[in-house]
Amino acid sequence: TRRFHDTIAEAIRHPKIRFLPNATLESADGSGARVAVKAAVSGPRIDLRACIDCGKCLTACPQAAISRYSRAGLVQYAVDVSACRAAAGEGCDLCAKACPVDAIDAAKPSSVIRVAADGVLVATGHENFDPVVKPRLGYRRLPNVMTGFEAEQALAGRLDLGAGSVAFIQCVGSRDPSLCRNFCSAVCCAYALRMARVLKTRNPQADVTVYYIDIQHFDKVQSAFRADVERAGVKLVRGIPSSVSPSGGRLALTIDDPATGSTTALHDTVVLSAGMQSADGADEVAPRFGLRRNAFGFFDATAGGDAAGRVRAAGTCVEPQDMFAAMASGRAAALDLAGGAR
């Protein structure tokens, strides 16, 4: 994780990389010698390269529209344009006046940016599957049913999930033909096993169970990690619960087995390993850059039409993958574009 954030920090400091936060793509034209991209930028803009992390803009903003993010040594500031007075045309520039290094531009709350590029790398990412689509699992209906992302946020702020017995349910929104989502999201097994191991480390007496179709192994390290997780006492149970229901203050998981029938297991907390899906707006981005989409909505890695050879897609907008695979995908696409531009 630190390597990932160090890479972002290096990009922010690079003199030839320009960031345009709060930008919305309006058009892209690959018919000429270069790819012409037009974007609308709204709201005050913070120059991340100039920012010294003094925090004065946070206290100066009357709408609390500025947020500070810090993770693994990387600190960033961002403006929520939906709450910003300047973005609404009210002429507020208090954040800019408070900044001692002039890192905030509030004079032009909106503008149009045009860029002519030799190549375009599309990396629009993904969305997380919303388990509400599977109501039988109880998400947002029953207390103590949460997603893996919510569990990770909770564990960042406290030692455990406040329960003696925790169940992880894998492949929620993945490998599910009934939802036309018969693909693996690639990261769920790894992050569920990692959180299960964290729970056992912090509380060896906790009862932690992972329900799965099969555990995906992508390298030798993950195979060794699975063995370590099992040695720590995490129970791995083959079979995906079909429903979660309340039972005497606990949660009852029903596991259907064609051979043995249905069984029930009781837990205090359920963590749903929600999968990935193509990002909102992918259907608008694809035709602008000549990118095709597969049956699951993800982009093909290369564009066709007028933009052929000058547009590449990388990362989780192409297929579900972990952080390091996405970084490698981006590097490969960038090198490919750089070679084609010579």
Side-chain angles (χ1 to χ4, degrees), residues 5-314:
H5 289 89
D6 287 346
T7 300
I8 295 178
E10 291 173 6
I12 290 173
R13 293 191 297 267
H14 198 287
K16 292 188 177 182
I17 297 178
R18 178 186 181 195
F19 287 88
L20 294 176
N22 299 326
T24 302
L25 179 69
E26 290 194 339
S27 65
D29 183 2
S31 61
R34 309 182 82 191
V35 181
V37 178
K38 176 182 175 183
V41 183
S42 60
R45 293 181 287 284
I46 299 176
D47 185 346
L48 300 178
R49 190 179 294 119
C51 176
I52 59 173
D53 187 25
C54 67
K56 293 183 178 180
C57 59
L58 297 175
T59 55
C61 179
Q63 301 299 110
I66 301 177
S67 300
R68 178 184 183 273
Y69 301 91
S70 176
R71 189 171 184 182
L74 173 66
V75 176
Q76 292 177 286
Y77 286 71
V79 179
D80 179 1
V81 296
S82 66
C84 176
R85 287 182 178 178
E90 297 180 18
C92 179
D93 61 353
L94 295 177
C95 59
K97 289 180 177 178
C99 180
V101 293
D102 297 325
I104 302 177
D105 179 10
K108 296 180 180 179
S110 62
S111 59
V112 174
I113 303 294
R114 290 179 172 82
V115 177
D118 294 316
V120 175
L121 198 163
V122 178
T124 50
H126 67 278
E127 302 288 341
N128 292 324
F129 175 77
D130 186 355
V132 169
V133 176
K134 296 181 73 69
R136 287 169 59 88
L137 296 180
Y139 183 63
R140 298 186 187 254
R141 182 172 56 83
L142 299 175
N144 298 327
V145 177
M146 64 185 72
T147 65
F149 179 71
E150 291 165 343
E152 187 153 5
Q153 286 183 309
L155 288 174
R158 60 178 193 257
L159 288 176
D160 55 36
L161 297 178
S165 178
V166 179
F168 289 84
I169 300 179
Q170 299 306 101
C171 297
V172 178
S174 299
R175 303 182 67 179
D176 191 339
S178 69
L179 297 176
C180 298
R181 297 174 55 82
N182 195 21
F183 60 88
C184 175
S185 286
V187 301
C188 311
C189 289
Y191 76 64
L193 291 179
R194 176 172 50 78
M195 280 195 284
R197 186 66 175 90
V198 168
L199 287 170
K200 290 295 288 185
T201 299
R202 295 179 179 180
N203 182 7
Q205 303 307 314
D207 173 44
V208 183
T209 305
V210 177
Y211 294 93
Y212 67 96
I213 297 175
D214 51 53
I215 300 296
Q216 298 296 310
H217 296 280
F218 300 100
D219 54 38
K220 294 180 180 178
V221 173
Q222 190 170 350
S223 298
F225 182 61
R226 172 182 175 168
D228 176 69
V229 168
E230 291 186 282
R231 282 194 298 270
V234 175
K235 294 191 274 287
L236 302 183
V237 177
R238 187 185 292 274
I240 297 295
S242 59
S243 66
V244 179
S245 56
S247 177
R250 304 186 77 191
L251 297 170
L253 281 61
T254 300
I255 303 100
D256 298 322
D257 189 322
T260 62
S262 297
T263 58
T264 301
L266 294 176
H267 297 277
D268 301 310
T269 293
V270 171
V271 179
L272 304 177
S273 295
M276 298 181 182
Q277 63 187 28
S278 61
D280 291 342
D283 54 342
E284 298 178 8
V285 172
R288 287 176 175 167
F289 289 105
L291 291 165
R292 296 175 294 273
R293 302 173 72 201
N294 64 23
F296 305 119
F298 295 99
F299 296 146
D300 285 348
T302 57
D306 293 333
R310 293 179 293 170
V311 174
R312 295 287 186 274

